[in-house]
């Protein structure tokens, strides 16, 4: 065993140690010349400076002496990758398997579709197809974060939301959900349902942020004609999909300056002497029921009925039809955002790869996925995208050989991107992350991290056949996590601690493979 030499340590611990160990800022450079007899520089130095040099060198020794021990692999606690490379305290980005929390600040742009993260941070419409573990969530997070909140109204539609709509749809349309789960549950899912999903997500998000919006911001809403206000209120109450009705009451009452209360509405009418028309209420319920992706909520519909009757606009709303007007309502509402509130809605859709209707036991249900993808780019939707009513930014999993391009009529106007990794881009990504970790590493590390090829000793002829089988960032992450465990275990006997040996790579690859096969 050959621990880190004392010499190496000394160089590394020159005060004002630069972050890169190859680049010691040689503070004592003149001192070195002092010791060079050919230089004749000694005469030019004052006694004082010689004394300070001597003190400095002695000081270095005192400062360094106990630190030598801290890199010795004789001490069990030093057999630690993080400690060796000075990573303690920072989260090792390779230990993260997913980007679901959107916390990562490391994104390697050159390997990603260039059309998504535009230099002026503008939103656009596209469909990104990404195989599992290629960085789809990460780029979606960045995309969302870059959108200016004064220009856009981002609506994130993730797995949880999509599941809710699909669940409702399947319950309404399929009697035997067990059978459906094994086959294609979504064969009857159409662009109408996709439209409901968009509209409902926009409404729900709007009601969520509404209480925080100022009267100035909402001025355009107050200025609408009562008829337009009532249309908006009808859409909002019919499509709201979060829990509760209080939020809707707040919305209605703030716009109309009224005091409607759902559970007192019947009572409020009687006081006003307005006859309560149960038939109209039933009509509203039936209409709501025809929206297949949404659960009708009788309480909210009572509120809607009450407001329509109370505002005396019943005649215009008696024959209300929701299902026939999905795309009209979507247009109205998105144009209200775009033209009146001056914030273009941006639908950001991600997460269908976790959905149980699309994936069962991690096997994709190709038919369901295709049905869903097709409706996402159907005519009614694309027409509104082309008219710039809103942006539609979709991040879907890439499955098998399904060519979504075939389903898009105007493929030239609606870009489809694919996230692809090559060996080179993956190595670049690894180096990029390692460099980032190096920049954050602490000064008293034993060494700075090498690049990826050096770390895994890629020049050894038996190593590339494992490394080259890593195809995605997620596989790379699993592999490095396992590799660190192997290198920690081996540190005591390693000729070069924390540079991978063939055995390390073989074992790490085998363990990592078990994990990515499972996913
Ligand atoms: C999307 O971006 C906004 C603004 O930066 C942020 O507040 C929000 O948490 C982000 N949402 C997600 C899920 O990343
Ligand atoms: C649904 O279909 C499965 C398989 O054919 C059957 O075993 C099950 O009993 C059915 N469930 C209902 C509620 O009909
Ligand atoms: C890396 O590979 C080279 C070439 O095969 C070999 O000489 C060296 O010992 C290896 N390093 C480690 C740490 O295994």
């Amino acid at each position: 065993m050959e621990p880190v030499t004392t010499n190496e340590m000394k160089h590394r611990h020159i005060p004002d140690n630069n972050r890169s160990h190859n680049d010691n800022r040689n503070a004592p450079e003149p001192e070195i010349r002092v010791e060079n007899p050919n230089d004749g520089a000694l005469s030019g130095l004052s006694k004082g400076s010689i004394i300070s040099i001597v003190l400095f060198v002695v000081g270095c020794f005192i400062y360094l002496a106990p630190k030598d021990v801290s890199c010795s692999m004789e001490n069990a606690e030093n057999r630690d990758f993080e400690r060796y490379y000075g990573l303690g305290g920072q989260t090792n980005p390779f230990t993260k398997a997913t980007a679901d929390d959107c916390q990562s600040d490391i994104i390697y742009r050159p390997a990603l579709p260039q059309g998504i993260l535009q230099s002026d941070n503008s939103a656009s419409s596209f469909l990104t197809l990404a195989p599992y573990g290629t960085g789809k969530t990460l780029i979606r997070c960045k995309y969302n974060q870059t959108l200016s909140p004064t220009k856009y109204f981002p609506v994130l539609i993730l797995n949880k939301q999509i599941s809710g709509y699909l669940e409702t749809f399947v319950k309404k349309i399929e009697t035997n959900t067990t059978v459906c789960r094994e086959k294609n549950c979504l064969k009857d899912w159409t662009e109408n349902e996709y439209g409901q999903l968009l509209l409902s997500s926009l409404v729900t998000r709007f009601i969520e942020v509404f209480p925080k919006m100022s009267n100035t911001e909402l001025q355009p809403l107050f200025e609408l004609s009562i008829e337009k206000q009532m249309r908006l209120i009808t859409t909002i109450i019919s499509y709201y999909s979060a829990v509760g009705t209080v939020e809707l009451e707040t919305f209605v009452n703030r716009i109309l300056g009224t005091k409607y209360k759902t559970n007192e509405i019947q009572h409020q009418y009687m006081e006003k002497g307005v006859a309560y028309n149960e038939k109209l209420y039933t009509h509203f319920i039936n209409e709501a029921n025809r929206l297949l992706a949404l659960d009708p909520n009788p309480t909210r519909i009572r509120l809607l009925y009450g407001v329509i009757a109370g505002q005396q606009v019943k005649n215009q709303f008696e024959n209300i039809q929701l299902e026939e007007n999905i795309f009209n309502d979507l247009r109205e509402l998105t144009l209200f955002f775009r033209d009146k509130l001056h914030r273009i809605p941006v639908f950001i859709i991600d997460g269908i790869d976790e959905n149980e209707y699309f994936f069962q036991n991690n096997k994709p249900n190709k038919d369901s996925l295709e049905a869903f993808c097709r409706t996402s780019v159907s005519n009614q939707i694309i027409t509104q995208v082309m008219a710039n009513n809103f942006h539609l930014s979709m991040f879907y999993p890439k499955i098998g050989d399904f060519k979504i391009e075939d389903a898009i009529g105007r493929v030239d106007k609606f870009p489809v991107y694919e996230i692809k990794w090559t060996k080179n881009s993956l190595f670049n990504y690894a180096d990029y992350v390692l460099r980032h970790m190096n920049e954050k590493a602490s000064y008293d590390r034993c060494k700075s991290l090498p690049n990826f090829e050096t770390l895994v000793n890629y020049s050894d002829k038996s190593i590339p056949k494992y490394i080259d089988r890593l195809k995605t960032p997620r596989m790379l992450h699993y592999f490095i996590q396992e590799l660190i465990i192997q290198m920690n275990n081996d540190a005591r006997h390693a000729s070069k601690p924390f540079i991978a040996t063939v055995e390390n790579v073989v074992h790490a690859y085998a363990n990592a493979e078990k994990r990515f096969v499972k996913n």
Side-chain angles (χ1 to χ4, degrees):
M1 158 160 165
E2 180 205 309
V4 181
T5 65
T6 315
N7 244 352
E8 203 176 348
M9 289 302 302
K10 256 180 251 162
H11 276 283
R12 266 182 276 112
H13 286 281
I14 283 164
D16 194 17
N17 200 349
N18 196 288
R19 289 197 161 213
S20 160
H21 85 253
N22 297 323
D23 181 26
N24 294 329
R25 206 183 301 157
N26 280 326
E29 193 150 16
E31 287 85 328
I32 292 164
R33 275 200 269 130
V34 170
E35 285 154 24
N36 185 343
N38 300 327
D39 202 318
L42 187 54
S43 56
L45 286 166
S46 73
K47 225 172 160 186
S49 62
I50 293 172
I51 290 170
S52 50
I53 289 161
V54 171
L55 285 177
F56 172 77
V57 172
V58 170
C60 279
F61 265 100
I62 294 166
Y63 174 69
L64 287 177
K67 291 257 171 166
D68 281 359
V69 179
S70 78
C71 286
S72 161
M73 291 301 132
E74 295 294 341
N75 289 359
E77 73 264 26
N78 291 339
R79 298 166 202 158
D80 178 359
F81 178 90
E82 310 253 317
R83 182 161 170 156
Y84 190 76
Y85 289 120
L87 310 176
Q90 63 170 304
T91 320
N92 177 347
F94 288 116
T95 60
K96 297 188 90 176
T98 70
D100 287 349
D101 58 0
C102 289
Q103 291 294 308
S104 177
D105 53 349
I106 303 176
I107 184 157
Y108 182 63
R109 290 173 188 241
L112 298 167
Q114 298 301 299
I116 300 176
L117 299 173
Q118 298 188 6
S119 53
D120 60 355
N121 290 341
S122 59
S124 58
S125 295
F126 53 79
L127 172 60
T128 296
L129 294 173
Y132 176 78
T134 52
K136 177 164 65 69
T137 303
L138 184 60
I139 192 168
R140 184 263 297 165
C141 289
K142 282 292 145 184
Y143 179 71
N144 164 58
Q145 283 160 12
T146 56
L147 299 179
S148 156
T150 54
K151 268 167 75 179
Y152 298 111
F153 190 84
V155 180
L156 277 148
I157 308 178
L158 305 180
N159 189 52
K160 184 166 158 264
Q161 286 83 22
I162 297 173
S163 296
Y165 297 111
L166 294 182
E167 197 79 43
T168 308
F169 174 79
V170 169
K171 249 191 278 160
K172 278 193 186 179
I173 209 104
E174 307 280 349
T175 42
N176 190 331
T177 46
T178 322
V179 170
C180 144
R181 263 160 224 234
E182 282 153 17
K183 294 199 233 132
N184 175 10
C185 297
L186 301 183
K187 61 182 190 306
D188 299 315
W189 174 272
T190 67
E191 63 179 1
N192 276 357
E193 282 71 53
Y194 195 79
Q196 289 166 41
L197 181 142
L198 294 185
L199 187 48
S200 172
S201 304
L202 176 58
V203 162
T204 308
R205 178 67 187 150
F206 182 38
I207 294 303
E208 193 181 317
V209 298
F210 179 79
K212 286 174 238 138
M213 293 174 82
S214 69
N215 282 345
T216 322
E217 274 177 284
L218 292 171
Q219 193 57 32
L221 193 47
F222 301 129
E223 286 168 0
L224 293 178
S225 67
I226 177 72
E227 213 239 344
K228 288 214 160 128
Q229 285 179 335
M230 288 309 300
R231 282 195 62 173
L232 204 68
I233 287 172
T234 305
T235 305
I236 291 202
I237 296 183
S238 309
Y239 282 90
Y240 182 65
S241 71
V243 189
T245 307
V246 181
E247 293 75 8
L248 292 173
E249 282 172 5
T250 310
F251 174 79
V252 168
N253 290 331
R254 185 167 167 199
I255 292 171
L256 300 176
T258 49
K259 288 187 174 147
Y260 290 111
K261 269 196 161 318
T262 310
N263 51 11
E264 288 168 24
I265 252 167
Q266 243 162 313
H267 186 66
Q268 286 179 330
Y269 282 125
M270 276 189 266
E271 276 180 356
K272 277 192 186 171
V274 179
Y276 194 85
N277 183 341
E278 201 62 37
K279 237 172 89 187
L280 190 53
Y281 168 72
T282 312
H283 167 67
F284 283 2
I285 290 271
N286 291 339
E287 278 304 298
N289 237 326
R290 290 176 60 214
L291 297 174
L292 295 179
L294 295 170
D295 249 336
N297 180 317
T299 315
R300 289 180 199 158
I301 292 168
R302 196 168 288 287
L303 173 69
L304 176 63
Y305 168 81
V307 177
I308 286 175
Q311 296 306 108
Q312 329 248 304
V313 290
K314 225 164 61 184
N315 292 344
Q316 298 159 55
F317 287 85
E318 232 150 44
N319 294 316
I320 194 164
Q321 294 187 311
L322 296 174
E323 214 257 348
E324 287 76 0
N325 284 308
I326 294 164
F327 290 99
N328 283 339
D329 291 342
L330 180 64
R331 183 186 306 106
E332 291 270 310
L333 187 61
T334 51
L335 289 184
F336 171 75
F337 272 86
R338 191 191 76 177
D339 300 337
K340 304 285 187 192
L341 299 181
H342 304 295
R343 291 173 70 188
I344 303 184
V346 184
F347 295 100
I348 304 174
I349 309 183
D350 179 16
I352 71 172
D353 41 352
E354 292 160 35
N355 196 279
E356 60 171 324
Y357 291 111
F358 298 132
F359 287 84
Q360 285 120 26
N361 310 318
N362 295 311
K363 283 221 181 69
N365 184 328
K366 206 159 153 280
D367 294 339
S368 293
L369 268 162
E370 281 190 21
F372 191 82
C373 285
R374 272 181 212 287
T375 62
S376 316
V377 290
S378 60
N379 269 335
Q380 293 268 23
I381 309 272
I382 297 288
T383 305
Q384 297 207 22
V385 169
M386 296 292 147
N388 269 320
N389 299 2
F390 54 82
H391 295 291
L392 186 56
S393 313
M394 297 178 284
F395 298 84
Y396 287 0
K398 167 125 182 101
I399 33 139
D401 48 8
F402 169 53
K403 285 231 183 333
I404 185 73
E405 291 91 333
D406 299 346
I408 308 176
R410 281 176 273 183
V411 76
D412 54 322
K413 297 247 175 61
F414 197 85
V416 178
Y417 304 129
E418 196 174 321
I419 304 186
K420 284 188 182 136
W421 290 88
T422 61
K423 179 184 143 189
N424 279 337
S425 61
L426 205 58
F427 274 47
N428 289 340
Y429 166 74
D431 282 346
Y432 179 81
V433 178
L434 289 168
R435 227 198 62 173
H436 176 93
M437 290 159 77
N438 248 341
E439 277 165 7
K440 290 193 161 178
S442 62
Y443 290 113
D444 62 350
R445 62 190 168 187
C446 296
K447 275 214 168 102
S448 65
L449 276 164
N451 67 18
F452 182 64
E453 285 196 22
T454 310
L455 183 70
V456 300
N457 209 13
Y458 194 72
S459 60
D460 188 300
K461 64 181 187 330
S462 23
I463 284 181
K465 66 170 174 280
Y466 298 98
I467 303 296
D468 293 353
R469 271 190 253 161
L470 303 171
K471 298 292 182 206
T472 62
R474 185 159 307 161
M475 283 167 94
L476 176 76
H477 282 210
Y478 285 160
F479 171 75
I480 293 186
Q481 289 166 30
E482 296 294 337
L483 190 66
I484 290 173
I485 297 172
Q486 299 296 324
M487 292 193 295
N488 285 347
N489 289 344
D490 265 14
R492 189 156 80 95
H493 300 298
S495 62
K496 285 192 179 158
F498 306 108
I499 296 294
T501 62
V502 179
E503 293 73 47
N504 292 157
V505 170
V506 171
H507 289 136
Y509 185 85
N511 291 346
E513 191 178 36
K514 278 183 215 142
R515 288 169 62 191
F516 44 74
V517 164
K518 239 198 286 170
N519 281 289

